[in-house]
C-alpha cells in the first residue's frame, strides 16, 4: 500500500528549499489577469503560498498537502483553508479555481496515479483557468553526464517534457508550453529553447 505521508515527511529539504521563493515568483509571472482563486498543491508549510500573498494580498489561496503535521505549521494568514488529502482525489467541487500551482510535486506521485492526478487538476480548474507545474527534468544535461537520476528518495516518478505535454493534452489541457525553471534560471533565464540545460522545467497548460 502506498503511504505518501511517510514517503514525503522523510524529505525535509522540501521545507527549506532555497529556490522556493523564486519558483513561486515564476508561477505568479505566468498568472493570467484577474486571477482570484488559487490552490497550492503540495503546499508543505506554506512557504510558496506566503510568496503569492506578498505579491497579491487579494488572492484567495487554498493549500493541499497529505502531511497533516506540515499543514498544522501554516500561518492562518496565508490560506483561506487547507485540505489534507491526496491529489488523486481532491475534496473540492468542479471548476473551483482559476489557477492550480504544483511546485516540484508530480514526481512525488507513483506512475499509475499520475493521469488521475492530472485529471483532478483539470476537473477543479475553471474554464479558461490555468495549471502551472514544475518538475525535475530527466533530460537535464548534468544528470546525463554524471549518470544521475531524478528518481530516488521521495521522487517515485519522472516526467520527460514531451511525455508530460502529451499526457496533459490527453486529459484535455490546451496551449501547453514548457519553459526552464530551477536554479539554472539564475544564470540562463527561463526562455532558452533547449530544456536540457535546466534541472527543472515549468509546464503552463490552459483548461
Amino acid at each position: 500500500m502506498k503511504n505518501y505521508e511517510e514517503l514525503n515527511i522523510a524529505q525535509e529539504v522540501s521545507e527549506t528549499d532555497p529556490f522556493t521563493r523564486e519558483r513561486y515568483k515564476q508561477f505568479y509571472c505566468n498568472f493570467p489577469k484577474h486571477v482570484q482563486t488559487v490552490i497550492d498543491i503540495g503546499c508543505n508549510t506554506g512557504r510558496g503560498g506566503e510568496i503569492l500573498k506578498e505579491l497579491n494580498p487579494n488572492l484567495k489561496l487554498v493549500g493541499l498537502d497529505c502531511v497533516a503535521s506540515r499543514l498544522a505549521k501554516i500561518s492562518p494568514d496565508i490560506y483561506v483553508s487547507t485540505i489534507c488529502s491526496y491529489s488523486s482525489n481532491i475534496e473540492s467541487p468542479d471548476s473551483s479555481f482559476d489557477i492550480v500551482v504544483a511546485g516540484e510535486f508530480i514526481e512525488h506521485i507513483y506512475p499509475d496515479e499520475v493521469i488521475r492526478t492530472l485529471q483532478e487538476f483539470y476537473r477543479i480548474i475553471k474554464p479558461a483557468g490555468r495549471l502551472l507545474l514544475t518538475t525535475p527534468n530527466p533530460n537535464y544535461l548534468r544528470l546525463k553526464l554524471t549518470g544521475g537520476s531524478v528518481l530516488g528518495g521521495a521522487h517515485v516518478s519522472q516526467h520527460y517534457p514531451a511525455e508530460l505535454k502529451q499526457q496533459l493534452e490527453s486529459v484535455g489541457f490546451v496551449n501547453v508550453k514548457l519553459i526552464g525553471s530551477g536554479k539554472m534560471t539564475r544564470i540562463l533565464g527561463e526562455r532558452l529553447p533547449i530544456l536540457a540545460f535546466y534541472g527543472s522545467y515549468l509546464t503552463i497548460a490552459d483548461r
Side-chain angles (χ1 to χ4, degrees):
M1 182 176 179
K2 299 163 185 169
N3 190 323
Y4 285 115
E5 295 93 326
E6 289 182 6
L7 187 69
N8 288 286
I9 204 167
Q11 190 184 42
E12 295 180 1
V13 67
S14 62
E15 299 185 49
T16 59
D17 179 3
F19 193 75
T20 294
R21 292 187 63 88
E22 292 156 90
R23 180 178 300 113
Y24 277 79
K25 286 179 181 178
Q26 186 183 34
F27 283 151
Y28 187 76
C29 287
N30 288 282
F31 278 17
K33 294 181 179 179
H34 312 303
V35 169
Q36 294 182 326
T37 54
V38 180
I39 184 167
D40 182 10
I41 304 291
C43 67
N44 207 292
T45 54
R47 294 172 63 229
E50 185 176 14
I51 303 307
L52 295 179
K53 288 293 282 187
E54 287 177 8
L55 293 167
N56 185 349
N58 295 319
L59 289 176
K60 296 179 180 178
L61 303 179
V62 172
L64 180 146
D65 205 281
C66 70
V67 182
S69 61
R70 288 178 175 166
L71 293 176
K73 297 177 183 178
I74 296 175
S75 165
D77 298 329
I78 300 175
Y79 302 108
V80 294
S81 63
T82 57
I83 301 170
C84 188
S85 78
Y86 295 159
S87 58
S88 57
N89 185 24
I90 300 171
E91 297 173 5
S92 187
D94 295 355
S95 304
S96 295
F97 301 98
D98 297 312
I99 298 285
V100 169
V101 297
E104 304 299 287
F105 173 80
I106 198 74
E107 67 276 5
H108 296 259
I109 303 301
Y110 285 98
D112 62 339
E113 294 185 343
V114 167
I115 288 294
R116 177 59 185 158
T117 288
L118 297 180
Q119 290 171 335
E120 278 291 271
F121 291 170
Y122 187 86
R123 180 185 68 79
I124 64 174
I125 294 174
K126 295 178 182 179
R130 177 167 289 178
L131 168 65
L132 296 164
L133 178 159
T134 66
T135 189
N137 183 6
N139 289 332
Y140 183 30
L141 281 175
R142 183 177 176 182
L143 291 180
K144 298 289 187 182
L145 292 171
T146 61
S149 174
V150 166
L151 299 172
H155 292 185
V156 293
S157 62
Q158 59 183 342
H159 303 275
Y160 290 91
E163 292 178 6
L164 181 57
K165 183 176 186 291
Q166 185 178 46
Q167 287 175 323
L168 287 164
E169 290 172 342
S170 74
V171 167
F173 285 100
V174 297
N175 304 323
V176 180
K177 295 182 289 187
L178 310 175
I179 60 176
S181 189
K183 295 175 184 176
M184 286 303 293
T185 59
R186 296 169 177 170
I187 302 169
L188 303 174
E190 62 181 29
R191 298 288 175 175
L192 202 68
I194 304 173
L195 278 182
F197 286 120
Y198 297 96
S200 291
Y201 64 95
L202 167 64
T203 301
I204 304 165
D206 295 332
R207 190 188 189 290

